[in-house]
């Protein structure tokens, strides 16, 4: 496969390629039950809608919203358990890509586009999704914020761009952090708004995106 240096696509994972709620919500229910049984938390479990509202955010942002007032020790334990529960859910057959993602990624790769992942998710989670759906080999680079100790999406994308000599292409994601990451690094942005949960992103999440799409298949039309 020969790649054109000007044809690079950087994808977010949650809400862009993967229907996060299909794994994250049932996994969080398990995690919260563990926290409750162990005496680390009390009270009602955050609603599914609230859980969905943190998708794509960094771990500190996630736990500030889901476990406000909890100690750092409790948040770290919750982080570990949620990851484990998500991987268990994946292994049990839960989880789904958005319609057209697998075929679309393979088509883009066949057309000479170089594909990358830049995600705020934990490395084992991001890679677990790619392994589960047989997509790992399609990507020239997989960047998860936790693996690089980087808390800002724009810095993570900047590192990817530098290490792979990305000169042009597109940033593709569903969050304001994806828009900011693309713009900060000189890339046009495709904003995705096809997540099933209406609370997945805020109303202005995609403000500033160059293109906004309602299905993954639209990406092929835009980049061509």
């Amino acid at each position: 496969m020969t790649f054109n240096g000007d044809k690079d696509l950087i994808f977010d994972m949650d809400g862009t390629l993967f229907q996060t709620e299909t794994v994250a919500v049932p996994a969080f229910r398990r995690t919260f039950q563990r926290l409750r049984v162990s005496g680390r938390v009390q009270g009602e479990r955050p609603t599914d809608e609230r859980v969905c509202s943190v998708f794509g955010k960094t771990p500190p942002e996630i736990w500030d919203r889901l476990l406000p007032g909890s100690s750092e020790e409790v948040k770290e334990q919750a982080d570990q358990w949620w990851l484990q529960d998500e991987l268990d859910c994946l292994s049990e057959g839960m989880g789904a890509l958005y319609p057209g993602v697998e075929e679309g990624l393979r088509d883009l790769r066949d057309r000479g586009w170089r594909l990358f992942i830049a995600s705020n998710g934990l490395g084992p989670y991001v890679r677990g999704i790619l392994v589960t759906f047989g997509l790992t080999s399609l990507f020239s680079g997989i960047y998860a914020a936790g693996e690089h100790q980087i808390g800002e999406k724009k810095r993570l994308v900047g590192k990817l761009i530098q290490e792979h000599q990305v000169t042009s292409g597109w940033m593709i994601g569903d969050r304001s952090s994806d828009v900011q990451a693309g713009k900060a690094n000189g890339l046009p942005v495709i904003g995705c708004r096809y997540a099933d949960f209406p609370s997945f992103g805020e109303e202005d999440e995609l403000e500033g995106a160059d293109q906004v799409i309602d299905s993954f298949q639209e990406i092929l039309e835009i980049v061509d």
Side-chain angles (χ1 to χ4, degrees):
M1 176 72 68
T2 301
F3 294 101
N4 182 331
D6 294 333
K7 297 181 68 172
D8 293 319
L9 301 176
I10 303 174
F11 291 92
D12 174 48
M13 174 62 81
D14 291 323
T16 302
L17 303 179
F18 186 63
Q19 297 185 50
T20 316
E21 69 278 3
T22 59
V23 159
V25 169
F28 182 78
R29 292 173 185 158
R30 298 181 186 184
T31 298
F32 195 83
Q33 182 63 16
R34 289 211 227 187
L35 293 169
R36 179 183 281 153
V37 169
S38 65
R40 289 176 169 86
V41 299
Q42 297 178 344
E44 294 297 314
R45 173 173 53 83
T47 64
D48 293 348
E49 288 74 18
R50 191 162 187 81
V51 174
C52 289
S53 75
V54 305
F55 296 163
K57 296 187 179 296
T58 61
E61 293 171 326
I62 288 171
W63 298 116
D64 283 347
R65 178 170 289 196
L66 295 183
L67 299 178
S70 294
S71 68
E72 290 305 310
E73 180 182 357
V74 169
K75 292 176 180 177
E76 289 176 8
Q77 182 62 77
D79 216 32
Q80 294 173 16
W81 278 345
W82 200 7
L83 171 60
Q84 180 182 336
D85 289 331
E86 286 176 326
L87 294 177
D88 286 346
C89 287
L90 279 170
S91 69
E92 292 167 20
M94 300 184 197
L97 302 171
Y98 284 103
V101 165
E102 181 174 356
E103 301 87 346
L105 290 174
R106 295 187 187 281
D107 196 354
L108 289 165
R109 178 86 169 182
D110 289 343
R111 296 186 194 190
W113 287 89
R114 195 166 56 149
L115 311 180
F116 298 93
I117 293 284
S119 170
N120 282 332
L122 296 173
Y125 164 76
V126 172
R127 295 175 189 279
I129 293 169
L130 296 176
V131 168
T132 296
F133 293 98
L135 301 177
T136 306
S137 63
L138 298 180
F139 291 91
S140 299
I142 301 165
Y143 283 66
E147 291 181 340
H148 296 276
Q149 303 299 308
I150 295 176
E152 287 186 310
K153 191 67 162 284
K154 62 184 179 182
R155 290 179 53 219
L156 183 68
V157 170
K159 181 177 179 66
L160 185 162
I161 286 173
Q162 181 180 27
E163 293 183 353
H164 291 273
Q165 291 84 51
V166 174
T167 56
S168 65
W170 293 84
M171 178 72 209
I172 304 169
D174 70 303
R175 286 292 196 176
S176 59
S177 59
D178 298 309
V179 178
Q180 293 162 7
K183 295 301 181 180
N185 289 285
L187 295 178
V189 178
I190 297 174
C192 306
R193 62 179 178 194
Y194 42 70
D196 292 333
F197 277 76
S199 59
F200 199 81
E202 305 298 335
E203 278 298 316
D204 60 350
E205 282 287 334
L206 299 178
E207 183 177 351
D210 297 277
Q211 300 277 352
V212 177
I213 60 175
D214 296 304
S215 67
F216 189 85
Q217 291 90 330
E218 294 176 56
I219 294 173
L220 282 75
E221 300 171 11
I222 291 172
V223 301
D224 280 346

